[in-house]
Amino acid sequence: MAFLPLLVFSACTPKITSGPVRPAPVPETTSKVEIPPAKQFSTAHISVLIPFKLHQIDLKTATKAQIERTDMAIDFYQGLKLGIDSAAMGGLNFELRVFDSKDDQQQLGVLQQQGKFDQSNLMIGPVFPEGVKYMSSYSMAKDLPLVSPLAASRPSEFANPKLISIVNHIDQHSEKIAAYIGKHFETTTSVVVLINPKRTEDEEFAAPLRAYLKAHHPSLLVQEFASANAFETRMMKGKQYAVVVCSSTPSVVRPAIDKLLKLTQLKTGGYPIQLFGHPAWIRQSYQEQYLQSLKTIISTSYYVDYKSSRVTQFIKNYRSAFQFEPSEYAFKGFDVGFYFGRLMQLHGEHFLDFLTKENYKGLQNSFSFQYNPEVGYYNTELKLLQYRQLAWLPIN
């Protein structure tokens, strides 16, 4: 992907693009409050920290992984720019200053010392947890809202009341699945089974799910096994099974799915089983017919409906502007740029007060923020997807 190396890019929207670009269709927002008079920005200053790391790329020797990581940064930036362009159509000027963080704390320290962020009203990035952690002390000292756009870390890891976490952490995914199971499975006829090999990453998903069911659905019978083979020996006729495979390790998941499908097809009478999986499955590949037969459900922070007219228009705009197809990071960038740009345009210097009051349904991500004074703002909006018609589709 072609892109000019840069350390800082600065301009004012709606003229931040290199050529004329039609604004993308405005995504849906839901305002829960009337808009009071607010002190408006003459120009809203946004600093963006993205690890382009172009200084490390030698196109003659670069690996596919190195190039793809650079593509991620560029795609996110380009989507973000289109999002802010669309927000700027409301009449507010934005100064967008983009810095190559290089995924390096020393670089972040240099930028701080040079006063590069001193005029900022909002900071977007860094995108990786260590960078977010490093910038949190600066964010708190300067009373500067900091958006963490891509890290799926628990907000408690940063302890920053000015942090705005976009991506849902694993506890939220667990609780979303547990809430669905609690609502749809009768306590007298159902058994919840956790297939949990008890590796660290497996337990991170299992523990919040287990705790949620205990707290909110204590009458549900919950069993736990290291493998689907061990589970088979304890099965009971006449029960409905909600089976959660807590792992995202393919060598664990594939045999578990195979076994569960066989248990539904026993000649002596199969067991009724519905499968629930780890959110990482959306990026992985498993036997499609098996997932569909087991009515598999997973949770996700993002989903793009390519049949949507808004998505179709965005893709056309992105192609026109950059001559490339938008990746998932371009969609993420657009949603972040448009949501915060529009919030600043509507509410001026008090935009942060409205973060928990305005929900957003974007092209890929939806936002519904809550606030905790110890960890900042965190997104609570999650989707459930079910595998049907040989694709992951949202549950209405």
Side-chain angles (χ1 to χ4, degrees):
M1 179 176 292
F3 195 84
L4 295 177
L6 52 85
L7 289 178
V8 180
F9 173 87
S10 176
C12 291
T13 46
K15 297 180 180 179
I16 65 171
T17 56
S18 57
V21 178
R22 288 183 300 165
V26 177
E28 299 172 18
T29 56
T30 305
S31 179
K32 298 180 180 178
V33 294
E34 294 183 1
I35 303 171
K39 184 178 180 182
Q40 298 298 321
F41 294 109
S42 56
T43 298
H45 301 272
I46 301 177
S47 291
V48 182
L49 292 168
I50 306 178
F52 294 105
K53 300 178 71 171
L54 297 177
H55 65 294
Q56 295 183 2
I57 296 293
D58 183 341
L59 294 179
K60 295 180 180 179
T61 61
T63 65
K64 183 174 183 289
Q66 288 175 319
I67 293 174
E68 286 179 347
R69 196 167 193 182
T70 301
D71 282 353
M72 176 273 287
I74 294 170
D75 286 349
F76 179 81
Y77 161 64
Q78 292 178 161
L80 179 79
K81 190 168 69 168
L82 286 183
I84 294 175
D85 270 338
S86 292
M89 299 305 290
L92 177 63
N93 286 328
F94 293 85
E95 184 183 61
L96 184 65
R97 293 176 59 82
V98 183
F99 302 88
D100 185 358
S101 68
K102 301 181 180 180
D103 195 20
D104 179 13
Q105 294 184 12
Q106 183 175 355
Q107 167 74 354
L108 297 176
V110 169
L111 293 171
Q112 287 183 27
Q113 292 170 7
Q114 293 176 344
K116 297 295 187 181
F117 315 128
D118 287 353
Q119 301 302 314
S120 300
N121 304 116
L122 179 70
M123 179 175 290
I124 299 174
V127 302
F128 298 120
E130 288 305 313
V132 175
K133 188 174 296 184
Y134 184 85
M135 290 302 298
S136 281
S137 57
Y138 179 89
S139 164
M140 289 185 284
K142 298 294 185 179
D143 198 31
L144 175 64
L146 187 159
V147 177
S148 174
L150 300 180
S153 308
R154 292 181 176 88
S156 57
E157 295 179 19
F158 310 108
N160 177 5
K162 287 293 182 178
L163 181 67
I164 305 168
S165 299
I166 298 294
V167 182
N168 308 92
H169 56 83
I170 193 66
D171 295 21
Q172 293 174 292
H173 287 276
S174 300
E175 292 169 2
K176 185 76 171 181
I177 292 292
Y180 181 92
I181 291 172
K183 180 179 179 180
H184 291 88
F185 285 81
E186 294 289 339
T187 57
T188 56
T189 59
S190 303
V191 180
V192 181
V193 174
L194 307 186
I195 305 299
N196 179 15
K198 292 292 181 83
R199 288 179 258 199
T200 301
E201 59 270 24
D202 307 331
E203 185 60 18
E204 283 184 349
F205 185 58
L209 194 150
R210 189 190 304 121
Y212 184 96
L213 290 174
K214 183 177 180 180
H216 298 275
H217 303 281
S219 300
L220 264 176
L221 175 61
V222 179
Q223 298 177 339
E224 199 158 349
F225 303 95
S227 69
N229 288 332
F231 157 55
E232 181 183 12
T233 65
R234 296 281 301 277
M235 298 187 76
M236 298 175 284
K237 289 293 184 181
K239 294 292 185 180
Q240 300 278 336
Y241 282 95
V243 179
V244 185
V245 177
C246 301
S247 179
S248 62
T249 304
S251 61
V252 172
V253 176
R254 287 196 178 95
I257 293 175
D258 290 349
K259 185 64 176 180
L260 293 172
L261 185 69
K262 290 176 182 177
L263 291 173
T264 67
Q265 298 175 336
L266 293 175
K267 292 181 180 179
T268 55
Y271 294 90
I273 295 173
Q274 182 167 13
L275 175 62
F276 298 85
H278 192 282
W281 289 13
I282 196 171
R283 296 178 179 273
Q284 298 172 340
S285 178
Y286 298 111
Q287 228 288 349
E288 294 179 336
Q289 292 290 353
Y290 291 10
L291 293 175
Q292 186 153 303
S293 295
L294 291 165
K295 302 176 183 177
T296 307
I297 290 176
I298 61 173
S299 57
T300 184
S301 297
Y302 57 90
Y303 174 79
V304 178
D305 178 6
Y306 285 95
K307 296 180 181 179
S308 163
S309 60
R310 293 186 292 121
V311 169
T312 301
Q313 186 61 57
F314 171 75
I315 293 172
K316 290 179 180 178
N317 292 346
Y318 194 90
R319 288 171 180 164
S320 174
F322 307 115
Q323 292 74 54
F324 282 95
E325 294 297 310
S327 72
E328 66 174 278
Y329 296 103
F331 283 99
K332 291 178 193 294
F334 179 88
D335 284 332
V336 169
F338 179 80
Y339 176 74
F340 286 97
R342 184 174 183 275
L343 211 63
M344 298 173 87
Q345 186 264 323
L346 287 176
H347 304 299
E349 295 184 2
H350 301 299
F351 74 94
L352 202 61
D353 295 338
F354 292 82
L355 199 64
T356 61
K357 299 169 184 174
E358 292 203 16
N359 295 339
Y360 170 83
K361 184 178 180 181
L363 302 179
Q364 184 191 62
N365 289 91
S366 295
F367 303 148
S368 179
F369 289 100
Q370 292 186 11
Y371 180 69
N372 181 317
E374 295 182 359
V375 303
Y377 301 85
Y378 56 95
N379 186 20
T380 62
E381 189 66 32
L382 267 175
K383 296 179 176 67
L384 289 176
L385 304 180
Q386 186 170 47
Y387 206 85
R388 58 187 194 273
Q389 302 174 37
L390 298 181
W392 291 114
L393 298 175
I395 296 176
N396 295 325

